Amino acid sequence: MPPPSDIVKVAIEWPGANAHKHFLSAFVSSWSLSGSEQFALRYADGPQLYITEQSRGDIKNGTILRLAISPARAARQLLERIQSHGIDARLEALKELAKLSADPTFAAEFINMEGIGTLARLVESGTHFGEMLAFTLTAFLELMDHGIVSWDLISLSFIKQIAGYVNQPMVDVSILQRSLAILESMVLNSHSLYHRVAQEITVGQLIGHLQVSNQEIQTYAIALINALFLKAPEDRRQVGALNVCLYPQEMASSLAQKHLRSIILNHVIRGNRPIKAEMAHQLYVLQVLTFNLLEERMMTKMDPNDQAQRDIIFELRRIAFDGENDPTGTEKRKAMYTKDYKMLGFTNHVNPAMDFTQTPPGMLALDNMLYLAKVHQDTYIRIVLENSSREDKHECPFGRCAIELTRMLCEILQVGELLCLPHGCNDYHPMFFTHDRAWEEFFCVCIQLLNKTWKEMRATAEDFNKVMQVVREQITRALAMKPSSIDQLKTKLRGLNYSEILRLRQSERMSQDDFQSPPIIELRERIQPEILELIKQQRLNRLCEGSCFRKLGNRRRQEKFWFCRLSLNHKVLHYGDLDESPQGEVPFELLSDKIPVSDIKSVVTGKDCPHMKEKSALKQNKEVLELAFSVLYDPDETLNFVAPNKYEYCIWTDGLCALLGREMGSDLTRSDLDTLISMEMKLRLLDLENITIPEAPPPVPKEPSSYNFTYNYS
């Protein structure tokens, strides 16, 4: 008879004793130890975490455990040793504390004994140096990262002491690294501490740490710069301890004056060491934060009555057609302005200011056009005059193209969108660190690409959207190659002309699907409804099994859960709170709350969810936003979800839509659909002598092999 599934075989070791396979009390007895409550089990390998009632289900067969003193006893002993007068004993205690502090069970016990206050006083005293200080800071950071106590409790003297380690010209690398990490956590986790840290740390001092050879120090320095940047007030940003409140554009200018970009380029990106994942993430964060400074202009509409803004359009016209600024000549040409604005490619020839009233891209498009006209004047004049001399049906409207291109670039580079800070995206582009006006230069390259592609496609006004689609593909393909400079971007784009894009599209289309003949397409359309019905049924079956969700607002290391499942008759949603993540299905009897399906009004996702609207945009995680959905039901109530992963999100949103009789449309549905249709087509084609389908074919019997699909993605 096989052993029960919830029984695993483990080995327990005690220093100086042989391994056993009994219960904890048996170990204590067999090793002549008294008081089983004074002992606990820990993993012998890896992080060596304590085994708790909540984590005991994670133990696997063959795991080696170690009998150790209990977390409370260990915390008490270490606290006593840390406060002892012997330097050697204190050092060994701090070394062991730095290792044990990563364990949440031990951390809770140590913090309850006022351990964090003890460590803070050791740092504030300034009597610890070298290894002893490094282990103290490590333990302090590990304990605070559990989220058990608030960072707001940190004293000003502690902040000054930590900032002093960062500001010292010569300090041990391990101490500097931990000090930077502590300051970053302070800024990210406390609004009040942000102001205190900003008064103690300057951007200039952090830039100095970017010029070292240690990439970990560089990473922590950029992370702290990003944290100060991210947590600065939205309307005004404060750079370091400059004691000057700056608007976002002024902040970017200040950073440029301190040569932050060039230092990162020369000492980090072009350094002799490969970029590690965490450094790549921090560079991505800095890139997004920099581009997000454009959001204000992107969302600012042009005021047609603002003379200063209208003067910018006059300047565009003057540079293109007048050459030298001649007020007299300008007055004489006022009657011809409408013709000039048409040649410039504006949609509204009479009042082109109206072209910039839509956001995005708002005034950002006008800024880009003015930069091109002033900095790359020859290119600007050539593009405008070249198109004004073409036949009307083939002219490329510069104004309209520049506005639409700016909108497209904002979408590609996600200007103003939320950061994926937690686990991190590392999709940074080295070329944006090679120029102080990288955004504007990028636009100038892309507008020339657009003009070139327009000519290659021999496009007319009716082809405008098609041209923009091709240009988007050219840009995204070039960016995917990670050009190291603006010049290299130009080289990549030259190789991605319209003919090459057509060739790549055809090649990818052929590789994706070998069945492109009309009969196969007809067969695909015929079997698609029944396959889609099969997917809907699978989604509903998964809803009946139910899923566990994390409750919102709980800290990472103190998670609470709740479970939701659909009744077997598809008429009621049952849900309720859980103390821990379940190992299987949760019976309906344990789910105390329910919602009749007939009361459900709609299902909303992402930023439309009520629990997403309540959060600040800067604090909101893009990953969480993509996994959020809500059920709206009578009377004006909501049930809010954050799925654990993309798969569960698609299962539940698709299933709820199917439950309400609405069309499913997730990526997972389309992927399942394509896979099943391909399998079904291959099975059916085996029975066909040729691929020609008659006009009125007899019904094909359903073969068990082609319909007995079991979906269990978990």
Side-chain angles (χ1 to χ4, degrees), residues 195-213:
H195 293 286
R196 295 180 180 179
V197 173
Q199 292 172 356
E200 301 293 332
I201 298 295
T202 67
V203 174
Q205 290 162 335
L206 294 176
I207 286 178
H209 295 306
L210 298 177
Q211 298 172 279
V212 301
S213 57

PDB file of all heavy atoms in Angstrom, residues 195-213:
ATOM      1  N   HIS A 195      12.421  63.426   2.479  1.00  0.00           N
ATOM      2  CA  HIS A 195      12.890  64.802   2.665  1.00  0.00           C
ATOM      3  C   HIS A 195      14.160  64.841   3.510  1.00  0.00           C
ATOM      4  O   HIS A 195      15.074  65.627   3.248  1.00  0.00           O
ATOM      5  CB  HIS A 195      11.793  65.648   3.303  1.00  0.00           C
ATOM      6  CG  HIS A 195      10.599  65.849   2.418  1.00  0.00           C
ATOM      7  ND1 HIS A 195      10.611  66.699   1.337  1.00  0.00           N
ATOM      8  CD2 HIS A 195       9.362  65.291   2.442  1.00  0.00           C
ATOM      9  CE1 HIS A 195       9.431  66.674   0.735  1.00  0.00           C
ATOM     10  NE2 HIS A 195       8.652  65.831   1.390  1.00  0.00           N
ATOM     11  N   ARG A 196      14.232  63.972   4.525  1.00  0.00           N
ATOM     12  CA  ARG A 196      15.422  63.961   5.374  1.00  0.00           C
ATOM     13  C   ARG A 196      16.649  63.454   4.609  1.00  0.00           C
ATOM     14  O   ARG A 196      17.741  64.014   4.738  1.00  0.00           O
ATOM     15  CB  ARG A 196      15.166  63.091   6.607  1.00  0.00           C
ATOM     16  CG  ARG A 196      14.081  63.645   7.535  1.00  0.00           C
ATOM     17  CD  ARG A 196      13.883  62.737   8.741  1.00  0.00           C
ATOM     18  NE  ARG A 196      12.851  63.249   9.633  1.00  0.00           N
ATOM     19  CZ  ARG A 196      12.473  62.640  10.753  1.00  0.00           C
ATOM     20  NH1 ARG A 196      13.047  61.491  11.104  1.00  0.00           N
ATOM     21  NH2 ARG A 196      11.528  63.161  11.505  1.00  0.00           N
ATOM     22  N   VAL A 197      16.452  62.389   3.834  1.00  0.00           N
ATOM     23  CA  VAL A 197      17.571  61.849   3.055  1.00  0.00           C
ATOM     24  C   VAL A 197      18.013  62.858   2.004  1.00  0.00           C
ATOM     25  O   VAL A 197      19.208  63.050   1.758  1.00  0.00           O
ATOM     26  CB  VAL A 197      17.172  60.509   2.404  1.00  0.00           C
ATOM     27  CG1 VAL A 197      18.269  60.024   1.451  1.00  0.00           C
ATOM     28  CG2 VAL A 197      16.901  59.457   3.469  1.00  0.00           C
ATOM     29  N   ALA A 198      17.037  63.536   1.365  1.00  0.00           N
ATOM     30  CA  ALA A 198      17.368  64.510   0.324  1.00  0.00           C
ATOM     31  C   ALA A 198      18.172  65.677   0.877  1.00  0.00           C
ATOM     32  O   ALA A 198      18.914  66.331   0.138  1.00  0.00           O
ATOM     33  CB  ALA A 198      16.084  65.026  -0.330  1.00  0.00           C
ATOM     34  N   GLN A 199      18.047  65.941   2.173  1.00  0.00           N
ATOM     35  CA  GLN A 199      18.821  67.014   2.790  1.00  0.00           C
ATOM     36  C   GLN A 199      20.245  66.581   3.104  1.00  0.00           C
ATOM     37  O   GLN A 199      21.129  67.420   3.274  1.00  0.00           O
ATOM     38  CB  GLN A 199      18.129  67.481   4.078  1.00  0.00           C
ATOM     39  CG  GLN A 199      16.803  68.191   3.828  1.00  0.00           C
ATOM     40  CD  GLN A 199      16.061  68.477   5.123  1.00  0.00           C
ATOM     41  OE1 GLN A 199      16.501  68.076   6.203  1.00  0.00           O
ATOM     42  NE2 GLN A 199      14.935  69.165   5.021  1.00  0.00           N
ATOM     43  N   GLU A 200      20.470  65.276   3.182  1.00  0.00           N
ATOM     44  CA  GLU A 200      21.786  64.771   3.567  1.00  0.00           C
ATOM     45  C   GLU A 200      22.623  64.302   2.379  1.00  0.00           C
ATOM     46  O   GLU A 200      23.853  64.277   2.466  1.00  0.00           O
ATOM     47  CB  GLU A 200      21.628  63.593   4.553  1.00  0.00           C
ATOM     48  CG  GLU A 200      20.881  63.933   5.832  1.00  0.00           C
ATOM     49  CD  GLU A 200      21.660  64.900   6.712  1.00  0.00           C
ATOM     50  OE1 GLU A 200      22.904  64.898   6.630  1.00  0.00           O
ATOM     51  OE2 GLU A 200      21.023  65.661   7.468  1.00  0.00           O
ATOM     52  N   ILE A 201      21.967  63.913   1.286  1.00  0.00           N
ATOM     53  CA  ILE A 201      22.668  63.310   0.139  1.00  0.00           C
ATOM     54  C   ILE A 201      22.487  64.194  -1.077  1.00  0.00           C
ATOM     55  O   ILE A 201      21.371  64.591  -1.412  1.00  0.00           O
ATOM     56  CB  ILE A 201      22.119  61.899  -0.162  1.00  0.00           C
ATOM     57  CG1 ILE A 201      22.346  60.980   1.041  1.00  0.00           C
ATOM     58  CG2 ILE A 201      22.789  61.308  -1.390  1.00  0.00           C
ATOM     59  CD1 ILE A 201      23.799  60.711   1.360  1.00  0.00           C
ATOM     60  N   THR A 202      23.559  64.496  -1.767  1.00  0.00           N
ATOM     61  CA  THR A 202      23.497  65.275  -3.001  1.00  0.00           C
ATOM     62  C   THR A 202      23.720  64.369  -4.197  1.00  0.00           C
ATOM     63  O   THR A 202      24.382  63.329  -4.093  1.00  0.00           O
ATOM     64  CB  THR A 202      24.556  66.383  -3.014  1.00  0.00           C
ATOM     65  OG1 THR A 202      25.856  65.785  -3.082  1.00  0.00           O
ATOM     66  CG2 THR A 202      24.460  67.256  -1.785  1.00  0.00           C
ATOM     67  N   VAL A 203      23.179  64.786  -5.316  1.00  0.00           N
ATOM     68  CA  VAL A 203      23.375  64.023  -6.545  1.00  0.00           C
ATOM     69  C   VAL A 203      24.861  63.965  -6.903  1.00  0.00           C
ATOM     70  O   VAL A 203      25.367  62.952  -7.380  1.00  0.00           O
ATOM     71  CB  VAL A 203      22.561  64.646  -7.700  1.00  0.00           C
ATOM     72  CG1 VAL A 203      22.863  63.951  -9.016  1.00  0.00           C
ATOM     73  CG2 VAL A 203      21.079  64.563  -7.390  1.00  0.00           C
ATOM     74  N   GLY A 204      25.576  65.060  -6.648  1.00  0.00           N
ATOM     75  CA  GLY A 204      27.001  65.083  -6.943  1.00  0.00           C
ATOM     76  C   GLY A 204      27.774  64.026  -6.184  1.00  0.00           C
ATOM     77  O   GLY A 204      28.691  63.398  -6.722  1.00  0.00           O
ATOM     78  N   GLN A 205      27.388  63.798  -4.912  1.00  0.00           N
ATOM     79  CA  GLN A 205      28.065  62.764  -4.130  1.00  0.00           C
ATOM     80  C   GLN A 205      27.745  61.369  -4.648  1.00  0.00           C
ATOM     81  O   GLN A 205      28.604  60.485  -4.641  1.00  0.00           O
ATOM     82  CB  GLN A 205      27.654  62.902  -2.659  1.00  0.00           C
ATOM     83  CG  GLN A 205      28.224  64.148  -1.993  1.00  0.00           C
ATOM     84  CD  GLN A 205      27.482  64.509  -0.729  1.00  0.00           C
ATOM     85  OE1 GLN A 205      26.305  64.168  -0.561  1.00  0.00           O
ATOM     86  NE2 GLN A 205      28.157  65.211   0.176  1.00  0.00           N
ATOM     87  N   LEU A 206      26.528  61.161  -5.102  1.00  0.00           N
ATOM     88  CA  LEU A 206      26.161  59.855  -5.648  1.00  0.00           C
ATOM     89  C   LEU A 206      26.837  59.620  -6.989  1.00  0.00           C
ATOM     90  O   LEU A 206      27.224  58.491  -7.309  1.00  0.00           O
ATOM     91  CB  LEU A 206      24.642  59.749  -5.785  1.00  0.00           C
ATOM     92  CG  LEU A 206      23.857  59.767  -4.468  1.00  0.00           C
ATOM     93  CD1 LEU A 206      22.363  59.747  -4.745  1.00  0.00           C
ATOM     94  CD2 LEU A 206      24.253  58.591  -3.599  1.00  0.00           C
ATOM     95  N   ILE A 207      26.969  60.664  -7.793  1.00  0.00           N
ATOM     96  CA  ILE A 207      27.638  60.517  -9.084  1.00  0.00           C
ATOM     97  C   ILE A 207      29.074  60.064  -8.893  1.00  0.00           C
ATOM     98  O   ILE A 207      29.612  59.297  -9.696  1.00  0.00           O
ATOM     99  CB  ILE A 207      27.564  61.852  -9.866  1.00  0.00           C
ATOM    100  CG1 ILE A 207      26.142  62.063 -10.391  1.00  0.00           C
ATOM    101  CG2 ILE A 207      28.550  61.872 -11.025  1.00  0.00           C
ATOM    102  CD1 ILE A 207      25.945  63.367 -11.128  1.00  0.00           C
ATOM    103  N   GLY A 208      29.709  60.515  -7.788  1.00  0.00           N
ATOM    104  CA  GLY A 208      31.073  60.074  -7.522  1.00  0.00           C
ATOM    105  C   GLY A 208      31.180  58.569  -7.382  1.00  0.00           C
ATOM    106  O   GLY A 208      32.204  57.973  -7.753  1.00  0.00           O
ATOM    107  N   HIS A 209      30.116  57.925  -6.868  1.00  0.00           N
ATOM    108  CA  HIS A 209      30.139  56.469  -6.692  1.00  0.00           C
ATOM    109  C   HIS A 209      29.906  55.721  -8.006  1.00  0.00           C
ATOM    110  O   HIS A 209      30.038  54.492  -8.038  1.00  0.00           O
ATOM    111  CB  HIS A 209      29.087  56.054  -5.664  1.00  0.00           C
ATOM    112  CG  HIS A 209      29.366  56.572  -4.280  1.00  0.00           C
ATOM    113  ND1 HIS A 209      30.561  56.360  -3.633  1.00  0.00           N
ATOM    114  CD2 HIS A 209      28.604  57.321  -3.435  1.00  0.00           C
ATOM    115  CE1 HIS A 209      30.524  56.933  -2.440  1.00  0.00           C
ATOM    116  NE2 HIS A 209      29.347  57.534  -2.296  1.00  0.00           N
ATOM    117  N   LEU A 210      29.522  56.433  -9.062  1.00  0.00           N
ATOM    118  CA  LEU A 210      29.356  55.796 -10.369  1.00  0.00           C
ATOM    119  C   LEU A 210      30.683  55.655 -11.102  1.00  0.00           C
ATOM    120  O   LEU A 210      30.764  54.946 -12.107  1.00  0.00           O
ATOM    121  CB  LEU A 210      28.389  56.602 -11.238  1.00  0.00           C
ATOM    122  CG  LEU A 210      26.958  56.739 -10.724  1.00  0.00           C
ATOM    123  CD1 LEU A 210      26.150  57.624 -11.649  1.00  0.00           C
ATOM    124  CD2 LEU A 210      26.302  55.380 -10.589  1.00  0.00           C
ATOM    125  N   GLN A 211      31.710  56.314 -10.611  1.00  0.00           N
ATOM    126  CA  GLN A 211      33.003  56.306 -11.288  1.00  0.00           C
ATOM    127  C   GLN A 211      33.962  55.278 -10.715  1.00  0.00           C
ATOM    128  O   GLN A 211      35.137  55.274 -11.055  1.00  0.00           O
ATOM    129  CB  GLN A 211      33.619  57.713 -11.223  1.00  0.00           C
ATOM    130  CG  GLN A 211      32.766  58.761 -11.935  1.00  0.00           C
ATOM    131  CD  GLN A 211      33.258  60.164 -11.710  1.00  0.00           C
ATOM    132  OE1 GLN A 211      32.994  60.782 -10.686  1.00  0.00           O
ATOM    133  NE2 GLN A 211      33.988  60.690 -12.679  1.00  0.00           N
ATOM    134  N   VAL A 212      33.441  54.395  -9.851  1.00  0.00           N
ATOM    135  CA  VAL A 212      34.265  53.331  -9.282  1.00  0.00           C
ATOM    136  C   VAL A 212      34.192  52.102 -10.182  1.00  0.00           C
ATOM    137  O   VAL A 212      33.396  52.034 -11.120  1.00  0.00           O
ATOM    138  CB  VAL A 212      33.800  52.987  -7.854  1.00  0.00           C
ATOM    139  CG1 VAL A 212      33.880  54.210  -6.962  1.00  0.00           C
ATOM    140  CG2 VAL A 212      32.360  52.451  -7.857  1.00  0.00           C
ATOM    141  N   SER A 213      35.015  51.113  -9.893  1.00  0.00           N
ATOM    142  CA  SER A 213      35.052  49.906 -10.720  1.00  0.00           C
ATOM    143  C   SER A 213      34.099  48.829 -10.228  1.00  0.00           C
ATOM    144  O   SER A 213      33.886  47.826 -10.919  1.00  0.00           O
ATOM    145  CB  SER A 213      36.483  49.340 -10.749  1.00  0.00           C
ATOM    146  OG  SER A 213      36.935  49.065  -9.425  1.00  0.00           O
TER     147      SER A 213
END
